[in-house]
Amino acid sequence: MDTIIEKSKTSVAKFEDFFSTEYKEDVIEAFSNYPDKRSIVVDYLRLEMFDPDLADLLIDKPEEVIMASQKAIKNIDTSQKNADLQVRFENLTNNVPLRELRSKYIGNFVAVDGIVRKADEIRPRIVNAMFECRSCMRLHEVPQTSNLISEPALCNDCGGRSFRLLQEESEFVDTQTTKLQEPLENLSGGEQPRQIHVVLEDDLVDEITPGDIIRITGTLKTVRDDKTKRFKNYIYCNYIEPLEQEFEELQISEEDKAKIIELAKDPDVYNKIINSTAPSIQGYREVKEAIAIQLFGGSAKELEDKTRIRGDIHILIVGDPGIGKSQMLKYVSKLAPRGIYTSGKGTSGVGLTAAAVKDDLGGWSLEAGALVLGDRGNVCVDELDKMRSEDRSAIHEALEQQTISIAKAGIMATLNARCAMLAAANPKFGRFDRYKSIAEQINLPAPILSRFDLIFVVEDKPNAEKDKKLAKHILNIHKNQSIPFEIDPELLRKYIAYARKEVHPKLTQGAIEVLQEFYVGMRVGAEDEDSPVPITARQLEALVRLSEANCKIRLGKEVTAEDAKRAIKLQQECLKQVGYDPETGKVDIDKVEGRTPKSDRDKARILLDVIKELSEEYGGRVPSSILKEEMSDRADMSEDKVDQIITKLKQQGLVFEPTQGYLKTV
């Protein structure tokens, strides 16, 4: 016991010396700003240089050493404010991955990196309780160490055992519990991310929001759960350091860097990367090219008026069952430096965006969903068409503005969701029908479809040559249990991380001219009234992102005309697949984005005019059979097409059937 007291006295003296020499100005400033500023931040590396033994003791016995540092601060207080300053330590060298935070670290001072999963309400915790004896009114002060209030055993004056807690005389401190999850890029594919509770107190509360990437410095403690009677670990936080800007995607050594630069010099690097993307799936080159481009991404831009233009590329794959959509998504989620895989059907509770959830004590707290946790990464959403309606409305903002605004249960917050989305959806009627628009076949509204930069339709059509190659590929995988790839997956992962972190290409005049010529050229053909709109400004922005990503693949600093041409070629493939209107023979952007094509709008207008004309002749009610004959003569329209347009006009409330087989305008 004497040794501990001696050590404590020595530590206080050492800290007095340390603060007086190293942090004199900071201490004076902290005292002058008290109580607005209630803590002083100490650099652990400076303490280590000043006294290595004291720094080591802080790691092993943090509670004693921090108490000694606070006592030392009080001893050198000349402000007469009786300030109770907290001492916080940054740049701790004892950085432990959350996954390895086991029982051997209990009682030690550690630094842990992670992403904030949820933050509970701020609540008061009693520190010093003031009790009044009910018999003689004497006051007793009792320091409190846990959530259960400890009363005095006996009154010193009268020996009474009944006391009343005086809340206004007691001392309280703000406390908040948060949940920290290990960074996603530290996981190898398919691992469950570990989580730990963190207790924040005093001036540390309300400093973080779900989705923040931070480094927590604090003491690892353990507590026994009253219900389960088991122990569980938590961190009593001492300091919070945001890691948003400095966050390393992956640890890339000098040897890795040399391999990356050597690979970038290969003239065939573009094809090698495409061939190494989802190698377990045979064919679908355009889809693989798009996925490779998405992994690299464009460059986000923040303008002077604080407007943010996203650099992330969103891709939607619509396809027949059994073609490997889910496998492509799983591949991306495991390869991307920060990838999350989720299913639209399986997202409940927090879902894709964020949710207000009740905590253990009945209060409300904010919990981050897949898009927030995947901030600055890739989120793969399977079965997007089966998504919950609440998430569907919130996803509009997440895809374009890349934020998620929450106003639930009295909580109002805006969370970052700067991620690229790769989504897959199945056709509503089982298989894809080329002659119906995408929106008719996917259970998704047009505004969401329009936010995808590339939409691919993957059909399963029998083809003897392709089927032979596919069968051989699948059977070889089963036989050899290995996949042929041109670039090692781990090197490709590091190559992508390096490109995303280090390469920020700029558009050259050559690239601008190519993109401008394509955009204007596409729209010039649609100047007359009867033509559909083939492309909008949203597709032009998508082309810029695709061109920048093409440049990043070869680690280029400038986006060339060649990069722009590659982007145009890929987007044209998508527009032809999805936006081709067989009735006009042209690309119609309304068909791509799920709205009514121009050809159908024109036919609907003609049909309404004919109904109005005939209604005078037939006393306001037009027989369907007469209408179909008239439409066949005037617009060369089949009976099926007339029925299809009548159904749409009924849905829009423009026509109705007063009796079966007759139509009337509203």
Side-chain angles (χ1 to χ4, degrees):
M1 186 70 185
D2 292 343
T3 319
I4 294 170
I5 294 167
E6 281 301 313
K7 268 189 180 177
S8 177
K9 283 181 180 176
T10 314
S11 298
V12 172
K14 283 179 177 178
F15 269 116
E16 282 180 22
D17 196 13
F18 175 67
F19 286 128
S20 302
T21 54
E22 299 283 322
Y23 279 89
K24 193 173 184 180
E25 288 179 12
D26 297 81
V27 171
I28 293 165
E29 187 191 340
F31 281 133
S32 61
N33 292 328
Y34 188 83
D36 296 330
K37 188 177 180 181
R38 299 198 298 281
S39 59
I40 181 167
V41 179
V42 172
D43 189 337
Y44 178 80
L45 300 175
R46 281 174 74 175
L47 178 67
E48 200 171 36
M49 286 172 68
F50 180 82
D51 191 325
D53 293 340
L54 189 59
D56 289 345
L57 193 62
L58 174 63
I59 300 290
D60 296 334
K61 306 277 182 188
E63 287 197 358
E64 292 170 23
V65 176
I66 290 168
M67 211 176 281
S69 69
Q70 287 168 349
K71 204 169 182 181
I73 288 256
K74 273 192 171 180
N75 290 351
I76 58 173
D77 180 7
T78 55
S79 66
Q80 306 301 313
K81 282 188 178 181
N82 195 21
D84 195 6
L85 283 178
Q86 302 289 335
V87 180
R88 315 244 176 248
F89 292 90
E90 64 175 349
N91 294 333
L92 198 71
T93 52
N94 191 27
N95 200 332
V96 184
L98 211 156
R99 184 165 288 272
E100 293 170 20
L101 212 56
R102 303 284 166 81
S103 53
K104 66 176 182 179
Y105 290 104
I106 291 171
N108 288 7
F109 206 47
V110 292
V112 178
D113 296 352
I115 183 166
V116 179
R117 185 68 202 256
K118 77 172 204 177
D120 290 348
E121 275 183 9
I122 298 166
R123 293 191 171 85
R125 179 176 77 80
I126 195 162
V127 183
N128 274 317
M130 190 68 78
F131 292 96
E132 183 184 75
C133 175
R134 291 184 189 273
S135 305
C136 66
M137 316 298 275
R138 182 184 165 162
L139 298 180
H140 297 261
E141 188 177 348
V142 183
Q144 304 292 318
T145 54
S146 72
N147 291 328
L148 298 170
I149 293 176
S150 308
E151 290 190 359
L154 289 169
C155 175
N156 295 340
D157 283 5
C158 68
R161 291 174 180 271
S162 181
F163 298 91
R164 184 166 68 93
L165 175 67
L166 302 176
Q167 290 187 6
E168 60 279 3
E169 301 293 330
S170 301
E171 187 186 339
F172 291 86
V173 67
D174 288 330
T175 182
Q176 184 182 24
T177 305
T178 184
K179 196 187 281 181
L180 196 71
Q181 180 176 299
E182 67 180 315
L184 294 165
E185 61 276 9
N186 290 2
L187 305 179
S188 53
E191 282 183 330
Q192 184 73 15
R194 299 291 163 88
Q195 298 179 348
I196 193 165
H197 280 95
V198 179
V199 175
L200 314 171
E201 286 196 344
D202 204 9
D203 56 342
L204 294 177
V205 301
D206 214 17
E207 287 293 306
I208 53 176
T209 53
D212 287 355
I213 297 160
I214 55 171
R215 176 171 293 161
I216 290 279
T217 304
T219 310
L220 182 67
K221 295 186 174 186
T222 190
V223 66
R224 195 172 181 215
D225 193 296
D226 293 332
K227 291 178 185 173
T228 61
K229 306 298 180 191
R230 290 180 180 177
F231 287 93
K232 61 178 182 182
N233 292 348
Y234 71 96
I235 296 172
Y236 182 77
C237 182
N238 174 267
Y239 182 69
I240 301 167
E241 182 186 349
L243 293 178
E244 200 72 56
Q245 274 72 42
E246 303 81 34
F247 204 75
E248 291 285 329
E249 292 277 0
L250 280 174
Q251 294 298 321
I252 297 170
S253 65
E254 286 300 315
E255 188 185 338
D256 292 331
K257 198 173 172 182
K259 282 182 187 174
I260 288 165
I261 290 163
E262 187 186 338
L263 180 58
K265 287 176 183 172
D266 187 331
D268 200 33
V269 66
Y270 199 83
N271 287 321
K272 279 188 175 178
I273 284 173
I274 293 168
N275 294 338
S276 301
T277 304
S280 63
I281 295 164
Q282 172 75 20
Y284 309 120
R285 186 182 161 86
E286 286 92 6
V287 180
K288 288 185 177 185
E289 185 179 351
I291 289 171
I293 283 173
Q294 185 192 46
L295 286 166
F296 286 86
S299 300
K301 299 161 190 82
E302 190 150 322
L303 309 181
E304 289 175 359
D305 63 350
K306 300 294 177 191
T307 307
R308 188 176 181 276
I309 301 171
R310 69 176 164 97
D312 295 304
I313 295 160
H314 303 313
I315 299 169
L316 174 64
I317 304 168
V318 185
D320 294 332
I323 51 152
K325 298 189 298 294
S326 300
Q327 210 165 329
M328 286 185 197
L329 268 62
K330 278 279 185 194
Y331 168 81
V332 171
S333 69
K334 288 178 183 178
L335 183 80
R338 195 178 303 163
I340 287 181
Y341 176 89
T342 182
S343 167
K345 204 173 186 176
T347 49
S348 58
V350 175
L352 287 171
T353 50
V357 291
K358 274 202 169 184
D359 59 29
D360 300 340
L361 297 169
W364 290 93
S365 60
L366 206 57
E367 188 157 353
L371 292 171
V372 178
L373 293 174
D375 187 37
R376 295 179 185 267
N378 287 64
V379 175
C380 303
V381 184
D382 206 352
E383 299 189 337
L384 187 74
D385 49 316
K386 297 178 183 69
M387 188 169 54
R388 300 185 311 151
S389 55
E390 306 95 272
D391 281 328
R392 193 173 291 168
S393 57
I395 213 171
H396 288 83
E397 181 192 358
L399 286 174
E400 197 60 60
Q401 278 71 44
Q402 297 202 296
T403 55
I404 287 168
S405 301
I406 289 288
K408 292 178 183 175
I411 298 170
M412 301 191 80
T414 301
L415 309 174
N416 286 321
R418 294 158 295 186
C419 55
M421 184 188 279
L422 175 62
N426 289 312
K428 200 189 290 185
F429 307 110
R431 284 189 176 270
F432 199 81
D433 184 344
R434 179 64 68 181
Y435 296 101
K436 288 183 179 175
S437 75
I438 282 200
E440 286 179 69
Q441 299 181 72
I442 313 173
N443 197 14
L444 283 174
I448 288 182
L449 284 177
S450 72
R451 280 163 168 76
F452 285 99
D453 299 294
L454 297 169
I455 300 174
F456 286 96
V457 172
V458 186
E459 291 181 90
D460 185 12
K461 287 181 178 175
N463 178 308
E465 194 183 331
K466 282 186 179 176
D467 292 346
K468 193 176 178 183
K469 276 186 185 175
L470 177 63
K472 188 181 175 186
H473 178 78
I474 292 170
L475 295 168
N476 279 339
I477 289 174
H478 281 275
K479 181 188 171 189
N480 304 323
Q481 294 184 4
S482 66
I483 302 165
F485 47 77
E486 294 188 29
I487 301 170
D488 179 74
E490 199 52 40
L491 176 61
L492 183 59
R493 201 166 188 240
K494 288 178 179 177
Y495 189 97
I496 293 164
Y498 180 83
R500 283 166 73 146
K501 190 165 182 282
E502 303 292 339
V503 183
H504 306 286
K506 298 269 186 274
L507 282 171
T508 60
Q509 192 57 38
I512 288 169
E513 284 169 12
V514 169
L515 294 173
Q516 190 174 334
E517 192 181 320
F518 171 72
Y519 178 69
V520 174
M522 283 286 280
R523 288 181 67 90
V524 159
E527 283 184 345
D528 58 309
E529 277 186 35
D530 296 332
S531 293
V533 177
I535 191 171
T536 64
R538 192 169 251 170
Q539 278 71 40
L540 180 62
E541 284 199 342
L543 280 172
V544 173
R545 287 190 279 272
L546 295 172
S547 304
E548 287 170 344
N550 277 326
C551 182
K552 278 188 179 182
I553 286 179
R554 54 182 176 79
L555 304 185
K557 291 182 180 175
E558 291 186 333
V559 181
T560 62
E562 196 56 43
D563 293 323
K565 283 173 187 170
R566 275 187 197 271
I568 288 167
K569 187 176 174 237
L570 190 62
Q571 197 183 64
Q572 276 183 314
E573 286 288 334
C574 283
L575 289 172
K576 277 177 193 167
Q577 274 189 334
V578 181
Y580 178 74
D581 189 346
E583 299 202 13
T584 60
K586 294 178 180 177
V587 170
D588 187 346
I589 198 66
D590 289 324
K591 201 167 180 350
V592 178
E593 296 179 354
R595 295 184 288 271
T596 309
K598 172 87 168 56
S599 58
D600 280 9
R601 290 200 302 271
D602 291 344
K603 282 172 182 168
R605 195 164 56 246
I606 294 165
L607 194 132
L608 278 171
D609 291 342
V610 170
I611 293 173
K612 282 172 186 172
E613 280 176 34
L614 293 174
S615 60
E616 292 173 15
E617 193 179 325
Y618 288 92
R621 299 191 311 169
V622 181
S624 299
S625 55
I626 302 291
L627 179 66
K628 285 174 183 176
E629 282 176 27
E630 195 68 27
M631 288 306 291
S632 176
D633 295 340
R634 289 203 198 184
D636 194 24
M637 209 185 295
S638 68
E639 287 193 8
D640 287 346
K641 192 71 185 175
V642 174
D643 285 335
Q644 189 187 333
I645 291 172
I646 287 170
T647 305
K648 280 192 178 175
L649 291 173
K650 280 183 189 172
Q651 287 169 351
Q652 291 167 6
L654 296 171
V655 297
F656 69 100
E657 266 186 315
T659 52
Q660 198 170 356
Y662 289 87
L663 289 167
K664 193 174 181 180
T665 55
V666 175

